[in-house]
Amino acid sequence: QVQLVESGGGLVQPGGTLRLSCAASGRIFGIYAMGWYRQAPGKQRELVASIASGGTTNYADSVKGRFTISGDNAKNTVYLQMNGLKPDDTGVYYCNANVTAHTGTTVKRFDSWGQGTQVTVSS
């Protein structure tokens, strides 16, 4: 099993900053990529940013230039620095990890998800 523990969400005014963290633990043999998704009320979950194990990053067009994703491979942790926050950034942010891990009965590659952390941008 794999656990993803997220932290750093909260309420912030427009133009403000937040930093999200997500730490992966469990019987992990390898992490191929980690990322952040968000889901606003009434909308589908969407990719915000991702980072591959080699360091390649990918961002949604709506956050380019404002958000920065980074990772610490030694700690199995990914961060999302969010600057210049807008009300449209409001939503539940979910951490995702594409891993190879022991599931209890076998070893396989799969996606693991965190519980989500609320980000609210409002004056």
Side-chain angles (χ1 to χ4, degrees):
Q1 301 298 332
V2 175
Q3 296 80 40
L4 300 182
V5 178
E6 302 141 328
S7 62
L11 171 64
V12 64
Q13 292 187 340
T17 65
L18 283 174
R19 188 180 190 231
L20 305 183
S21 299
C22 172
S25 63
R27 300 176 68 180
I28 298 171
F29 291 91
I31 299 180
Y32 300 97
M34 295 185 74
W36 291 94
Y37 289 71
R38 69 185 178 194
Q39 188 165 19
K43 294 187 178 180
Q44 289 189 330
R45 191 175 297 188
E46 62 176 356
L47 174 68
V48 176
S50 65
I51 183 167
S53 58
T56 301
T57 58
N58 183 42
Y59 295 93
D61 287 342
S62 60
V63 307
K64 284 180 180 177
R66 299 187 297 121
F67 291 9
T68 302
I69 190 169
S70 60
D72 185 332
N73 290 339
K75 296 181 179 180
N76 289 345
T77 299
V78 65
Y79 307 96
L80 185 67
Q81 179 68 41
M82 303 186 292
N83 299 331
L85 281 160
K86 304 176 181 179
D88 284 349
D89 295 318
T90 295
V92 179
Y93 283 67
Y94 296 91
C95 179
N96 169 272
N98 185 253
V99 304
T100 294
H102 201 290
T103 66
T105 57
T106 187
V107 175
K108 64 179 182 179
R109 182 173 177 175
F110 59 93
D111 279 314
S112 183
W113 293 89
Q115 300 260 1
T117 184
Q118 177 70 44
V119 171
T120 303
V121 184
S122 175
S123 55

